[in-house]
Amino acid sequence: MSPDRLTFNTLLNLFNLNGIYTLGFSFILGSLWVTFIGGVLAYKALQRPQFAALQQRSFPIYFQLNTFISAFLLLSWVYNHNSAIAHIAHPTVPDVAQAYALALVSFSQALNLFWFGPATSKVLATRLKLEKAEGTDADKDNVSDMKALNAKFARLHGYSSLANLIAFLALAFHGLWIGNYGITA
């Protein structure tokens, strides 16, 4: 039930676990635009060296925040839904299904933070070095070393995008759930 009047105390009471949970969920769902919209727009608008510099600066922070927030969401969900632990082996129990969805988000974002992101950055740095040393263009030249680096970069970037897509789908499922059934048990 909502209060009849806004007071300082009613505003302070907004800062509870459910309020912070909602902000965290909103933040992480909204931040996935970085992969699906912002990244594509930046790729089209910037030259490749500038795009690479932008990605190398923004993605580690992006993945750190998403990993931390998704872990917070998972821990908060389990804290508020004791049945998630009690029935952990039964994914058809709704609270467990939501915990699994949040665990999938955390896992996919951690993969990007600790594996795909650093590996992609390493390949990108090697590719840029080779371009500079040989005066080549990774997109236009047919140098065999560059072809191999491009293929590895594309594969790693694809895995990273897939991890983000999985996170987005799991968050969409969770968002639809909490929109219909709420956050608290």
Side-chain angles (χ1 to χ4, degrees):
M1 184 162 118
S2 63
D4 294 332
R5 299 179 71 93
L6 283 179
T7 65
F8 184 71
N9 281 338
T10 58
L11 292 176
L12 280 179
N13 289 336
L14 295 175
F15 293 94
N16 59 42
L17 189 57
N18 287 342
I20 294 168
Y21 187 95
T22 302
L23 288 176
F25 172 79
S26 300
F27 179 88
I28 194 170
L29 183 64
S31 74
L32 287 173
W33 76 271
V34 170
T35 293
F36 302 112
I37 298 169
V40 173
L41 292 173
Y43 180 76
K44 290 179 180 179
L46 300 173
Q47 293 179 355
R48 196 160 26 81
Q50 288 79 21
F51 176 71
L54 173 66
Q55 298 290 75
Q56 287 188 316
R57 297 232 187 227
S58 62
F59 268 35
I61 296 166
Y62 164 74
F63 290 130
Q64 287 170 4
L65 283 171
N66 282 0
T67 301
F68 171 77
I69 293 170
S70 61
F72 165 77
L73 293 176
L74 174 60
L75 292 173
S76 296
W77 185 265
V78 170
Y79 176 79
N80 280 325
H81 300 84
N82 297 333
S83 65
I85 295 295
H87 303 289
I88 195 72
H90 305 335
T92 58
V93 173
D95 288 345
V96 175
Q98 295 310 305
Y100 281 4
L102 292 170
L104 190 57
V105 174
S106 294
F107 180 72
S108 67
Q109 295 305 288
L111 272 177
N112 272 322
L113 175 62
F114 296 113
W115 179 256
F116 297 135
T120 303
S121 293
K122 185 177 176 183
V123 171
L124 181 61
T126 303
R127 191 169 78 171
L128 290 172
K129 250 189 232 175
L130 184 61
E131 278 182 335
K132 197 172 194 174
E134 296 183 4
T136 61
D137 185 336
D139 292 332
K140 295 179 181 144
D141 288 333
N142 234 354
V143 180
S144 64
D145 288 346
M146 191 62 76
K147 273 182 148 178
L149 285 171
N150 285 343
K152 187 173 184 179
F153 178 83
R155 186 176 66 249
L156 288 167
H157 187 265
Y159 292 152
S160 176
S161 294
L162 179 61
N164 270 342
L165 178 60
I166 289 168
F168 174 77
L169 293 173
L171 283 169
F173 169 61
H174 185 63
L176 291 169
W177 186 268
I178 63 176
N180 282 286
Y181 301 106
I183 296 172
T184 56

